[in-house]
Amino acid sequence: MSSSERMQSPGRICEADHERFVSKSAATFALEGMAATRDFYFLMLPKMTMLAFSAAVEPLRIANQLTGKCLYRWYLLSEDGSPVRCSNGVSIVVDGGLTETKRGDTVFVCSGVDGYLAASSRTLSWVREQARHGRTMGGVCTGAFTLARAGLLAGKRFTLHWENQPAFEEIFPDLSIAPQIYCRDEQIITCGGGDAGVDLIVSLIEEQHGTGLATKVAEMCLHGLPRSEDNKQRLSIAAELGLRNPKLAAILRDMRERFAEPLSVEGLAAKHGMSRRQVERQFHNALKTSPAAKLRDIRVQQAHSLIAETDMSLMEIAVACGFSSQPALRKAYRQRFGVAPSFKFRRAQRNSS
């Protein structure tokens, strides 16, 4: 039986399914009683992140391997059934094109680079149809872009990779992103990518089969203890930069969170009970830069993200990132990256990713 034929008979577990989905293992876990098989469909979009996808699919395989049972089946889809090239240049062969799923199935949208533009109108229609029929819909790495474009995230708690959040916030200002590594909100489940897929899938395994199997799966992944939904994606600023001064960390946090506002060094210093000279000295000692230069760098990095991942104009990006004008953005961008921002540069960035 071919992969496409098996996808069309999802309720039946056959010998071929057991051979494909249940691998042999020296490690075992005794799971008592019968368990219904759960099917997962991974919609692979162009330039998807392989690490994020692997982290989501491997715990399913390991759960089967440990128990010797076909607890889970997974199928890879692309819009037309053709292989999909990942962001690292590796192509993945899929099981087929967009297909019908059944009640109780989970559909994950996997994307990465150019997450906003990755799904075609046909793919969006298919995603909406699966959600309308009651499927659990998931987003891996930047998959939330597609779920948002399909209109599935209104009023939902969700996340995506922190690198892509500035672009998302500009495109979908009415949708609030959670900073967690993964989120589960009824029929919408999302993770930020990287190895957060392990934590998300392990939480699903725990819900269905208990803590024992879930913990064993995480151990087999050499993942350590599974992280909870409350864990945040990014380190604190103090931990990230090795800072010991809480006031300096607080000023940097303000810069990151309020970069679009007309911030001044004097204002930030006064807010945190310091003088301008004290702030400048702390920045020089700890970061080898000035407060103004650090704020400019934060703004340029945000602009770089919007240029690469959205269709916003340079004027819109300048305003969104706190620059006083488009020429100010151009000057700062050229100083940081050695090239002026432009639509031509934007296309080059996408083609080289």
Side-chain angles (χ1 to χ4, degrees):
M1 183 181 294
S2 67
S3 296
S4 59
E5 289 173 330
R6 285 199 296 274
M7 286 194 294
Q8 295 305 317
S9 58
R12 185 174 61 191
I13 301 296
C14 61
E15 184 177 342
D17 282 332
H18 199 276
E19 181 178 346
R20 172 182 171 178
F21 296 111
V22 184
S23 52
K24 295 181 180 180
S25 174
T28 61
F29 184 89
L31 189 66
E32 302 298 332
M34 300 293 293
T37 298
R38 184 171 178 178
D39 288 346
F40 287 76
Y41 290 82
F42 291 88
L43 174 58
M44 322 286 275
L45 297 182
K47 299 184 182 180
M48 54 160 277
T49 305
M50 179 177 283
L51 172 60
F53 159 70
S54 299
V57 74
E58 279 299 295
L60 303 175
R61 180 192 68 80
I62 292 172
N64 288 357
Q65 175 181 309
L66 287 170
T67 62
K69 299 181 179 182
C70 194
L71 303 177
Y72 303 104
R73 298 185 298 188
W74 50 93
Y75 302 101
L76 313 186
L77 311 177
S78 66
E79 181 175 283
D80 59 2
S82 299
V84 174
R85 186 179 296 275
C86 301
S87 59
N88 61 6
V90 175
S91 293
I92 295 182
V93 176
V94 300
D95 294 298
L98 303 179
T99 188
E100 188 57 46
T101 60
K102 71 180 191 305
R103 185 173 297 278
D105 289 348
T106 298
V107 177
F108 274 114
V109 178
C110 303
S111 61
V113 176
D114 287 350
Y116 173 56
L117 303 171
S120 67
S121 56
R122 179 188 172 198
T123 294
L124 289 175
S125 295
W126 182 82
V127 168
R128 292 188 192 100
E129 181 181 3
Q130 304 315 303
R132 189 165 53 247
H133 290 166
R135 314 307 184 235
T136 295
M137 304 300 296
V140 174
C141 193
T142 64
F145 274 111
T146 296
L147 300 183
R149 291 177 64 200
L152 305 184
L153 297 184
K156 296 295 184 180
R157 189 164 46 83
F158 67 94
T159 194
L160 72 158
H161 195 284
W162 61 263
E163 179 188 16
N164 309 100
Q165 291 181 13
F168 189 100
E169 290 169 343
E170 290 297 328
I171 298 169
F172 304 104
D174 296 330
L175 297 178
S176 180
I177 306 168
Q180 281 85 356
I181 56 173
Y182 72 88
C183 293
R184 294 178 55 185
D185 191 343
E186 297 178 338
Q187 298 301 104
I188 297 294
I189 56 178
T190 51
C191 75
D195 64 354
V198 173
D199 301 286
L200 172 58
I201 299 300
V202 164
S203 75
L204 299 178
I205 293 172
E206 180 176 22
E207 180 179 73
Q208 189 173 8
H209 299 295
T211 302
L213 177 58
T215 302
K216 192 69 174 181
V217 168
E219 184 182 22
M220 286 285 288
C221 292
L222 300 183
H223 189 66
L225 289 175
R227 294 173 293 177
S228 73
E229 190 173 351
D230 295 330
N231 284 81
K232 290 181 169 55
Q233 291 186 28
R234 303 193 71 176
L235 296 172
S236 68
I237 292 175
E240 177 186 343
L241 300 177
L243 300 178
R244 295 185 178 181
N245 188 319
K247 289 187 177 181
L248 180 57
I251 290 174
L252 282 167
R253 184 166 55 250
D254 273 353
M255 287 182 173
R256 280 188 177 179
E257 295 176 354
R258 301 168 53 203
F259 61 87
E261 301 176 18
L263 299 176
S264 69
V265 178
E266 291 83 355
L268 289 169
K271 176 182 176 181
H272 296 284
M274 301 173 71
S275 69
R276 177 181 179 127
R277 290 178 63 86
Q278 286 176 316
V279 172
E280 289 176 337
R281 185 168 58 251
Q282 290 288 346
F283 267 79
H284 176 75
N285 292 340
L287 304 175
K288 309 305 179 188
T289 189
S290 69
K294 183 61 178 178
L295 177 59
R296 184 169 58 250
D297 184 64
I298 290 172
R299 287 171 169 168
V300 169
Q301 289 290 350
Q302 297 293 328
H304 181 69
S305 176
L306 299 184
I307 288 169
E309 299 181 4
T310 75
D311 287 326
M312 297 170 65
S313 70
L314 291 179
M315 178 57 74
E316 290 172 327
I317 292 172
V319 172
C321 294
F323 288 96
S324 59
S325 65
Q326 186 173 334
L329 167 58
R330 287 184 177 275
K331 180 180 179 180
Y333 199 96
R334 183 181 288 277
Q335 289 176 341
R336 175 65 176 80
F337 294 106
V339 62
S342 68
F343 291 108
K344 179 179 179 180
F345 178 66
R346 177 185 289 176
R347 289 192 295 271
Q349 282 290 95
R350 289 176 177 169
N351 292 336
S352 65
S353 299

